[in-house]
Amino acid sequence: MAVRERAVAVPARPVPRGAVSRRFFQRFGTLLILLALCLVFTVIGPWRNRQGPCDVWEQVASLTLVKDGSICQPVFASKVNILNVIRQVSVTGIIAVGQTLVILIGGIDLGVGSIVAFSGVIAAILQRDGYGFLASMLLPLAIGATTGLVVGTLVTKGNMPSFVVTLGVMAGLRGAALLSTDNGLPIRGLKDDFRFIGTGYLDFLPFHGSQLLIPVPILVYVVIIACGNILLRRTSLGRYIYAIGGNENAARLSGINVDAVKTLVFILCGFSASLASLILTARLNSGSPIAGDGYELDVIAGVVIGGTSLSGGRGSVFGTLIGSLLIGVLGNGLVLMNVSAYYQYVIRGAIIVGAVLVDQISRRRNR
Amino acid sequence: MTTAPLIQVRSISKAFPGVQALIKVDLEVQGGEVHAVIGENGAGKSTLMKIVAGVYSRDAGEILLKGRKVEITNPRQAMDHGISMIHQELNLAPNLSVAENIFLGRLPKSGAFVDWNKLYADAQALVDRLGIELNVRALVEDLTVARQQMVEIAKALSRNAEVIVMDEPTSALTERETETLFQIIGRLKTQGVAVVYISHRLEEIFRIADQVTVLRDGQLVGTHLVKDATSPMLISMMVGRELTTLFPKEQVEIGEPVLEVRHLTRRGVLDDISFVLRRREILGVAGLIGAGRTELVRALFGADPKDSGEILLEGKPVRIRNPRDALRLGFGFVTEDRKLQGLILGMTVRENVTLASLWGMTRLGFVDFAQEREVTADYIKKLDIRTPSQEQEVLNLSGGNQQKVVVAKWLATRPKILIMDEPTRGIDVGAKAEVHALMSRLAKDGVSIIMISSELPEILGMSDRILVVKEGRINGEFTREQATQEAILACAA
């Protein structure tokens, strides 16, 4: 390679002093907030729950909540609780990866919660009626992807805002899920092979013999995060997604097939929602038409906390991972501290707004 | 003049983090004078005027109004002292009427209610003072940019402005609108208002300014009476060196026809357009703004629909339904507005340069980063794009360098036909000469170029052949030898 970088006398706009630490904070600010929360819950948690026969330090290392026949209060920093949090997060976290793509192109998908309900109900019906593992997986996934295709087509060819289209999906598919059940009752009777994707564990290779079993949902989550990250950072499709979010007009004039990329992004988001739905359904051992209610807001909150701009063009899957974990950890920690559910809402609202505010301030200073 | 100047700026300095924007600059403006401030991008002319208008604070120096020292720390104070600035981005509320915008925040009241009759009467009086026709009840969003600018000027007058600073006011105006603006400036002058006029365009300065101050790299180069100044002298003051020529057009052997457009029509916009473009030719497209020049090339490039007509590429008919088709057939399109249509401002130089050619640098959908960096480095070198690194966001580059990035993006696709819509708008003289030299070099290497320009010297200096568009039709064609400024203007108007 001949010349990589050209040195010039006067840079167009020089980097201000102190920018290195600011950049660091900008990139990892949310991560620091997450770690601080973990620390708070780790320290305060045991102090609040000193009762019972359980020793806190013993519990941290333990993989179960049972001791001498009685159940202990879980401790935040224990292995069992941490795996539990991540497993909970993995459902909304997987959708958040798809949602990140949609928000990056300047759109939004409000329909994901209802896709979760509808594809979950369909999966449960297939299971109950004796269809095999593969069919009960593929049809719900196809439902999610098809929904994305319809949304994408309406947005690109019909020139409609994604907010409106997916608002319709949100209502419509929720209704479809309720209609598919008997009076809205959950559908039961799932088989063991299907339930494995929600409740199973895999003994992960590097930990052989060390008794660390990883729940399947977490593994799926890790794979999806990795795929999303590679898609955005390494492929031309990822580059086009950022370009469309940054300036759709310029992207189209540069010969990018904007409509196709946008539609594909909505398909991927719908697919991620139905994939998450399979895990949730398997875990709950039932397909409920009210499952996933309000997920769209948790998911969008995770994406935004993770630093992805709602106007598109800026953001990352790594940020979304941190944002989703932050929401999960917050909910879990507050429950463990026996904070009333009403206060939990208030604290959650404050943290969401606060995290984004911190992000905005650090960004503005850099200008 | 024996009295103290209306406004006097003494030895103003200003540093932004890491860069000295102004070093001990002096400026004196008399009442009733049009004072032009010129310089290349980054010379500090906007910074200087923003300090005077209270937008930026100064590090050192003082400002005197009619010989009296004043403290200006924010735009409101500046306005109270009679200094108003008309920014390039207008600050109007689009959903309010002209009158409401002029008196925004100071609406006349009778009791608790707005006195609408007085509001409209006062606004009308100001508009009359400018000598223009403008409905003060119209909504600002329904006005053209030129008219919105007049609202800003009326707003400044309503605050009893004695000094009005205009930052590149004509950059978004048509020739006719520019004329009207000049008339307004003339009228302001007779009313004793001083106009500080920041511009790139030398011909405008010769038309309206009394004095001209040249800045370079944050320093004052000199102030002259316009009647004593010449164009080459001002250019060399701005650039700091002699520019051999602004239009380095080389003589080339024009080749066979590459593109043939036949009866291209888009109802209400383009009317039966036919022309031929030959290899190594630079085809200039002249005409008034709104005549259909941009619409013509957009339809050609597949960015806008067409109703009928044929396009032949190297003798074969082709279909261009969208920009993707055009790209594949070897078209490139350097758009008129680089910020809205050319660049992804938040992306890096590298990502912008390779945006249109990325499909050729992928394996199974994965980007070959080594190849991408190599291509980018190549164009940074060839086009002399001044950037600290490939990873710099284009947002932070100067206008001229941003324009070079757009050009590089299209050169990376190895186009046979390059469409350039106002290729040197809003860039400084030095960068202009470089873009022109590049066009000449490309033509020599076998690329055919269609160049739209509103600047007649550019059209005359760079084109082998000139088409004049008027009301969606081709109204005339000139060879390089036939063309004169007068002939083209007569044909376009």
Side-chain angles (χ1 to χ4, degrees):
Chain A
M1 192 177 304
V3 193
R4 257 201 188 200
E5 242 110 82
R6 263 174 69 83
V8 251
V10 186
R13 194 193 284 177
V15 179
R17 251 176 296 153
V20 177
S21 61
R22 211 171 288 146
R23 284 251 169 84
F24 176 85
F25 190 69
Q26 216 180 75
R27 244 190 112 179
F28 299 107
T30 331
L31 182 59
L32 293 181
I33 296 175
L34 175 65
L35 293 178
L37 262 183
C38 289
L39 193 69
V40 168
F41 289 140
T42 307
V43 174
I44 299 181
W47 172 74
R48 297 263 320 217
N49 313 311
R50 268 175 304 185
Q51 80 280 37
C54 314
D55 176 71
V56 167
W57 297 114
E58 220 173 281
Q59 254 188 280
V60 168
S62 160
L63 270 171
T64 161
L65 293 178
V66 182
K67 192 193 173 192
D68 304 337
S70 59
I71 293 177
C72 301
Q73 272 271 16
V75 171
F76 178 80
S78 62
K79 278 184 196 165
V80 55
N81 187 55
I82 286 174
L83 283 181
N84 193 26
V85 172
I86 303 176
R87 183 165 54 191
Q88 278 168 8
V89 167
S90 60
V91 175
T92 47
I94 288 169
I95 312 174
V97 175
Q99 186 77 259
T100 304
L101 305 182
V102 172
I103 293 182
L104 275 177
I105 59 163
I108 197 144
D109 192 339
L110 300 173
V112 288
S114 296
I115 295 178
V116 166
F118 186 56
S119 40
V121 165
I122 295 298
I125 290 175
L126 290 169
Q127 282 283 297
R128 184 194 61 193
D129 295 352
Y131 287 90
F133 174 77
L134 214 58
S136 332
M137 294 276 288
L138 292 182
L139 187 62
L141 288 176
I143 287 174
T146 311
T147 310
L149 175 65
V150 173
V151 170
T153 309
L154 285 171
V155 167
T156 54
K157 304 296 176 199
N159 235 338
M160 294 171 75
S162 55
F163 187 94
V164 175
V165 176
T166 57
L167 200 61
V169 168
M170 181 173 157
L173 282 192
R174 179 71 61 189
L178 285 162
L179 285 172
S180 310
T181 57
D182 184 16
N183 267 331
L185 290 175
I187 292 162
R188 298 179 182 285
L190 277 57
K191 280 168 283 194
D192 283 348
D193 58 348
F194 184 83
R195 292 200 58 204
F196 182 77
I197 57 171
T199 57
Y201 288 86
L202 282 180
D203 195 351
F204 205 46
L205 274 171
F207 300 106
H208 251 308
S210 70
Q211 267 291 308
L212 187 62
L213 298 167
I214 308 282
V216 176
I218 297 185
L219 290 176
V220 177
Y221 188 25
V222 169
V223 169
I224 293 294
I225 291 278
C227 288
N229 203 37
I230 289 171
L231 170 76
L232 282 181
R233 298 181 66 110
R234 302 253 153 221
T235 69
S236 51
L237 178 62
R239 184 74 58 79
Y240 295 157
I241 288 173
Y242 282 109
I244 291 170
N247 187 343
E248 188 174 328
N249 228 326
R252 183 169 280 123
L253 286 172
S254 299
I256 294 170
N257 193 341
V258 172
D259 290 357
V261 172
K262 278 179 133 179
T263 307
L264 183 58
V265 162
F266 281 104
I267 292 175
L268 290 174
C269 184
F271 180 87
S272 73
S274 46
L275 180 62
S277 163
L278 294 176
I279 291 172
L280 183 72
T281 308
R283 245 193 103 52
L284 298 177
N285 195 15
S286 71
S288 163
I290 55 163
D293 190 25
Y295 271 20
E296 57 283 337
L297 296 182
D298 272 359
V299 166
I300 293 166
V303 175
V304 172
I305 289 176
T308 298
S309 155
L310 272 179
S311 49
R314 259 171 213 280
S316 67
V317 167
F318 173 76
T320 297
L321 169 67
I322 304 299
S324 304
L325 284 175
L326 200 143
I327 290 190
V329 163
L330 189 66
N332 174 270
L334 292 176
V335 168
L336 294 191
M337 280 168 65
N338 291 324
V339 175
S340 118
Y342 303 159
Y343 277 113
Q344 282 187 38
Y345 278 116
V346 176
I347 296 172
R348 196 145 94 172
I351 295 266
I352 290 174
V353 174
V356 177
L357 183 67
V358 166
D359 188 47
Q360 282 300 323
I361 289 172
S362 62
R363 231 169 257 273
R364 194 167 329 137
R365 284 232 199 94
N366 210 23
R367 276 288 128 87
Chain B
M1 208 175 280
T2 48
T3 52
L6 183 56
I7 183 163
Q8 211 174 348
V9 165
R10 276 197 201 146
S11 139
I12 290 235
S13 295
K14 170 77 182 172
F16 289 113
V19 65
Q20 189 71 35
L22 291 174
I23 308 158
K24 297 194 171 168
V25 173
D26 300 310
L27 181 72
E28 271 183 23
V29 183
Q30 309 285 349
E33 169 189 73
V34 177
H35 195 121
V37 178
I38 62 172
E40 297 197 279
N41 282 330
K45 48 195 196 300
S46 286
T47 307
L48 175 64
M49 294 330 296
K50 281 181 179 166
I51 287 174
V52 173
V55 180
Y56 293 152
S57 62
R58 59 184 188 274
D59 296 343
E62 51 187 25
I63 299 173
L64 284 80
L65 264 179
K66 296 172 189 158
R68 215 160 33 84
K69 221 174 126 177
V70 291
E71 210 39 57
I72 294 174
T73 52
N74 59 49
R76 167 134 292 200
Q77 266 180 357
M79 278 179 217
D80 291 343
H81 286 302
I83 303 168
S84 277
M85 182 157 177
I86 314 244
H87 295 270
Q88 281 184 58
E89 291 83 23
L90 303 175
N91 299 311
L92 295 171
N95 51 338
L96 297 182
S97 71
V98 169
E100 285 171 292
N101 265 288
I102 293 176
F103 290 101
L104 199 62
R106 302 162 298 142
L107 296 176
K109 298 236 174 91
S110 66
F113 301 100
V114 174
D115 184 346
W116 292 102
N117 291 331
K118 182 167 163 35
L119 173 66
Y120 289 129
D122 288 355
Q124 191 61 52
L126 283 166
V127 170
D128 291 343
R129 208 178 135 191
L130 292 178
I132 47 171
E133 295 279 320
L134 187 60
N135 179 4
V136 295
R137 290 165 198 255
L139 290 187
V140 161
E141 63 190 349
D142 297 332
L143 303 181
T144 61
V145 178
R147 305 229 134 204
Q148 294 184 358
Q149 205 173 51
M150 292 169 194
V151 177
E152 285 272 22
I153 296 173
K155 194 166 146 186
L157 287 181
S158 78
R159 293 173 181 276
N160 299 316
E162 293 176 273
V163 181
I164 298 181
V165 182
M166 300 187 185
D167 192 358
E168 308 231 8
T170 56
S171 59
L173 302 191
T174 65
E175 278 147 62
R176 224 168 303 160
E177 290 165 343
T178 303
E179 277 311 309
T180 314
L181 177 71
F182 287 173
Q183 282 165 19
I184 292 175
I185 290 176
R187 202 159 284 126
L188 291 174
K189 224 173 110 168
T190 59
Q191 294 169 6
V193 176
V195 175
V196 180
Y197 190 93
I198 303 177
S199 184
H200 271 119
R201 300 185 182 169
L202 290 179
E203 57 280 26
E204 295 180 352
I205 286 152
F206 285 108
R207 276 216 39 202
I208 58 160
D210 304 305
Q211 289 211 72
V212 54
T213 292
V214 183
L215 297 180
R216 186 174 70 231
D217 299 334
Q219 279 171 301
L220 179 72
V221 184
T223 297
H224 291 273
L225 287 173
V226 170
K227 62 179 190 315
D228 301 337
T230 65
S231 186
M233 164 186 139
L234 290 180
I235 290 177
S236 70
M237 281 170 82
M238 281 161 68
V239 185
R241 61 193 144 90
E242 290 288 331
L243 266 188
T244 43
T245 168
L246 192 50
F247 306 109
K249 172 85 177 93
E250 288 177 58
Q251 206 62 49
V252 290
E253 183 99 0
I254 306 286
E256 73 286 0
V258 176
L259 174 76
E260 212 181 325
V261 175
R262 289 183 186 162
H263 311 299
L264 181 65
T265 300
R266 186 181 169 207
R267 259 186 294 285
V269 183
L270 300 172
D271 182 12
D272 193 25
I273 295 212
S274 301
F275 67 90
V276 175
L277 176 70
R278 298 194 161 76
R279 192 173 305 284
R280 287 187 288 276
E281 182 178 44
I282 299 181
L283 180 63
V285 180
L288 302 177
I289 289 178
R293 300 171 306 171
T294 298
E295 290 75 6
L296 165 62
V297 290
R298 279 183 63 93
L300 185 57
F301 194 70
D304 287 341
K306 347 176 211 306
D307 292 323
S308 62
E310 266 192 297
I311 297 169
L312 281 80
L313 194 65
E314 287 164 343
K316 287 185 285 288
V318 290
R319 283 191 66 189
I320 303 177
R321 290 156 303 179
N322 50 46
R324 239 174 334 129
D325 289 344
L327 177 73
R328 249 178 260 143
L329 290 168
F331 284 84
F333 184 18
V334 177
T335 48
E336 175 181 25
D337 187 325
R338 58 181 164 270
K339 285 186 179 159
L340 288 183
Q341 299 170 357
L343 295 167
I344 318 279
L345 287 173
M347 282 183 134
T348 63
V349 171
R350 169 174 57 84
E351 288 166 329
N352 271 287
V353 166
T354 58
L355 192 61
S357 51
L358 196 64
W359 55 273
M361 300 176 203
T362 55
R363 273 181 203 100
L364 300 168
F366 286 83
V367 177
D368 181 345
F369 288 102
Q371 193 189 351
E372 198 192 359
R373 277 191 290 267
E374 203 171 335
V375 168
T376 310
D378 189 34
Y379 282 103
I380 287 180
K381 199 174 151 204
K382 267 192 201 150
L383 272 58
D384 195 20
I385 299 172
R386 265 150 275 171
T387 170
S389 93
Q390 294 192 3
E391 305 306 321
Q392 179 79 341
E393 290 181 2
V394 291
L395 186 74
N396 296 329
L397 300 187
S398 71
N401 284 306
Q402 287 182 345
Q403 187 68 359
K404 288 184 193 168
V405 171
V406 180
V407 175
K409 174 175 81 175
W410 288 110
L411 293 189
T413 67
R414 309 203 162 280
K416 281 184 265 185
I417 297 167
L418 189 60
I419 302 167
M420 303 177 98
D421 194 354
E422 304 283 3
T424 62
R425 165 175 292 176
I427 66 179
D428 56 59
V429 192
K432 242 177 213 188
E434 286 179 64
V435 169
H436 290 151
L438 176 74
M439 287 169 68
S440 202
R441 216 157 64 224
L442 284 172
K444 216 172 149 192
D445 292 345
V447 179
S448 309
I449 297 176
I450 300 176
M451 177 191 69
I452 296 179
S453 177
S454 293
E455 293 184 35
L456 279 178
E458 185 172 55
I459 288 271
L460 293 170
M462 292 308 299
S463 314
D464 293 300
R465 199 152 50 90
I466 297 157
L467 298 178
V468 180
V469 177
K470 183 188 173 187
E471 288 162 6
R473 281 175 299 107
I474 291 187
N475 203 34
E477 187 179 329
F478 299 86
T479 62
R480 185 176 177 81
E481 292 70 33
Q482 294 167 338
T484 61
Q485 200 141 343
E486 293 72 30
I488 291 176
L489 269 179
C491 187

